[in-house]
Amino acid sequence: MRQQKSLKELIAYCIYKEKETYSHLPPAVIKEIMVDNQEMYQYIQQQYEDHIRPLMVQIVEEGQARGEITDKVSVQAVLLAIQIYMKSSGEMLDGQAAHEDREAFVEELIHIFFYGLCGREPQ
């Protein structure tokens, strides 16, 4: 995560790692471990606050400085969008099973994250 990669590359990497995790552990098991188990949930929340969130703030700020993220949105709004997306990633990745080209489907999800439904990639 600390490598000099674009924001898009980092988000794609996270989605692919999530996909890899879901291929080894069913979403119900992950939910049981990470949400239903209160001790584990609290540990994960603490790790997020202490380590992951500061790193994500840094990544978003660097993305804004490089012009990858518009200055029209705050760091907090970007973090919320990422958090919402990641919380839904299990369902999105489960949905890819119905598609012939699963890799293309993941690319579509990444595109929607970055450019929205009607957005266009920068030229």
Side-chain angles (χ1 to χ4, degrees):
M1 294 296 283
R2 294 188 192 273
Q3 296 175 4
Q4 292 298 323
K5 302 277 184 186
S6 72
L7 182 66
K8 184 175 180 181
E9 289 171 319
L10 290 172
I11 298 295
Y13 174 79
C14 290
I15 291 172
Y16 283 115
K17 291 308 270 183
E18 187 103 358
K19 176 183 160 198
E20 190 176 282
T21 299
Y22 278 101
S23 71
H24 299 297
L25 292 172
V29 172
I30 293 172
K31 180 182 179 286
E32 181 180 327
I33 293 170
M34 296 179 64
V35 177
D36 296 341
N37 181 322
Q38 283 300 304
E39 186 176 329
M40 182 62 78
Y41 177 79
Q42 298 227 338
Y43 173 77
I44 291 168
Q45 286 301 108
Q46 191 65 50
Q47 292 299 309
Y48 174 79
E49 289 300 322
D50 293 347
H51 303 287
I52 297 168
R53 189 172 197 293
L55 180 60
M56 292 302 295
V57 167
Q58 177 185 349
I59 289 168
V60 170
E61 287 173 344
E62 289 172 1
Q64 284 180 319
R66 288 190 303 261
E68 296 175 302
I69 301 172
T70 180
D71 58 1
K72 294 180 181 180
V73 295
S74 67
V75 171
Q76 292 77 19
V78 174
L79 291 178
L80 179 61
I82 291 171
Q83 186 177 17
I84 290 167
Y85 210 73
M86 296 311 282
K87 281 186 177 181
S88 301
S89 63
E91 290 84 4
M92 289 186 290
L93 294 173
D94 285 345
Q96 80 172 350
H99 297 275
E100 275 185 37
D101 188 344
R102 294 177 179 177
E103 295 300 317
F105 184 70
V106 171
E107 289 296 324
E108 290 173 20
L109 294 176
I110 293 168
H111 180 87
I112 291 170
F113 176 81
F114 281 100
Y115 310 112
L117 295 175
C118 301
R120 307 238 188 300
E121 292 186 42
Q123 300 297 327

